[in-house]
Amino acid sequence: MTRRTVGVRSVVGWSEVGRKMNQKLTRALSVVAAVSMLTAGIAVVVLSESSTPAQAAGTYYIDILPGGFNPPNCTVNRNDSTVKFVNKDSKPRRVVAGDQVEETGEYPLDTGLILPGETQSGGWFFSALDQKTYKDFDNPALTGVIIVPRDENAQSVCSPLPPTPTPTNTPTVTPTPTATPPPPPTPEACARLLNAPKGCNLAPAVASDGPQQ
C-alpha cells in the first residue's frame, strides 16, 4: 500500500509540473504574438507615413498698389502654396474672387479689409486645378489672375516685378543767339555815298610806329 501511494503521488506531482510548464509556455507564446502584432502595426504606420513625403508650404505675396496689382499674373503649385496680399496703398483695400453669392453677398475668396502697410491674414490656399480672376472690391477694373496648373510639380512664378524707372526730364538748354554786326561799308559803297548828306562814316587810317606811351 505504501508503494502504491508513493506511485500515485509521483504521478500527480509530474502532472502538476507539466501543467505549470504548459501555462508558462502559453504565456510566452502570447507575449511573442503580441509583440509581433505590435511590430507589424508600427511597420504599417511607418510605411503609410513615408509613402507621402511632407512638402514645405510656400507663401507668395501680391502687392496691392494704387493702380493695380504686382504681379498681375501669378502661377502657384497646388497643395503647397499660399497666396497673400500686401496693401502698399495709403487707404484700406479689399480683394475678392469668384462669383458673389446673392443670398449672403459673400465671395468664395475674400481677403477682408487690409489696412495700409498690412498683410492679409490667413491667405488663399489652392488644392485643385484652377484659374482664378480676382479684383479690387472698390474698383473692379483693377484685376489679376492666379493660375494653378494641373501638374503638382509645376514651377511657381509669383514674384513682384521690379518698379518701372521713371524717366528723368532733362531740360534742354537753348543757346542764346549771338548778334552778328553788319559788315563795314566797302570803299566802292562809300564812293557812291559821297553825295549823301551824311557821307560815309569812315575813320581815316593813321599811321603809327607802335602803341602810344
Side-chain angles (χ1 to χ4, degrees), residues 166-172:
T166 303
T168 304
N169 295 327
T170 304
T172 303

Side-chain angles (χ1 to χ4, degrees), residues 14-211:
W14 281 108
S15 300
E16 184 68 20
V17 172
R19 187 178 64 83
K20 291 182 178 181
M21 290 181 63
N22 288 335
Q23 290 179 352
K24 291 182 179 180
L25 180 60
T26 302
R27 291 177 182 176
L29 292 176
S30 300
V31 172
V32 171
V35 172
S36 300
M37 293 176 64
L38 180 62
T39 305
I42 295 175
V44 170
V45 172
V46 172
L47 289 175
S48 61
E49 291 182 353
S50 61
S51 60
T52 306
Q55 297 179 353
T59 303
Y60 299 91
Y61 298 91
I62 299 177
D63 295 340
I64 307 175
L65 305 176
F69 301 96
N70 184 22
N73 298 325
C74 186
T75 300
V76 296
N77 194 9
R78 61 192 177 104
N79 292 325
D80 70 342
S81 300
T82 301
V83 177
K84 292 186 176 183
F85 289 85
V86 182
N87 186 1
K88 293 192 174 181
D89 197 359
S90 59
K91 62 181 180 180
R93 301 286 290 273
R94 178 184 174 189
V95 182
V96 295
D99 297 329
Q100 186 179 19
V101 180
E102 296 181 358
E103 292 78 8
T104 61
E106 298 178 350
Y107 289 87
L109 295 176
D110 192 338
T111 63
L113 205 61
I114 306 176
L115 299 178
E118 297 294 330
T119 301
Q120 172 191 2
S121 60
W124 294 353
F125 186 82
F126 298 91
S127 60
L129 174 68
D130 201 352
Q131 180 169 331
K132 191 71 68 179
T133 299
Y134 58 88
K135 61 184 178 181
D136 185 276
F137 180 78
D138 296 319
N139 188 1
L142 301 179
T143 62
V145 178
I146 298 176
I147 302 172
V148 185
R150 184 184 303 276
D151 187 3
E152 292 187 359
N153 296 320
Q155 182 179 5
S156 298
V157 181
C158 190
S159 299
L161 303 176
T164 303
T166 303
T168 304
N169 295 327
T170 304
T172 303
V173 179
T174 303
T176 303
T178 303
T180 303
T186 61
E188 292 80 6
C190 287
R192 291 193 299 270
L193 294 174
L194 288 177
N195 296 327
K198 295 183 180 180
C200 193
N201 189 13
L202 292 177
V206 178
S208 174
D209 294 334

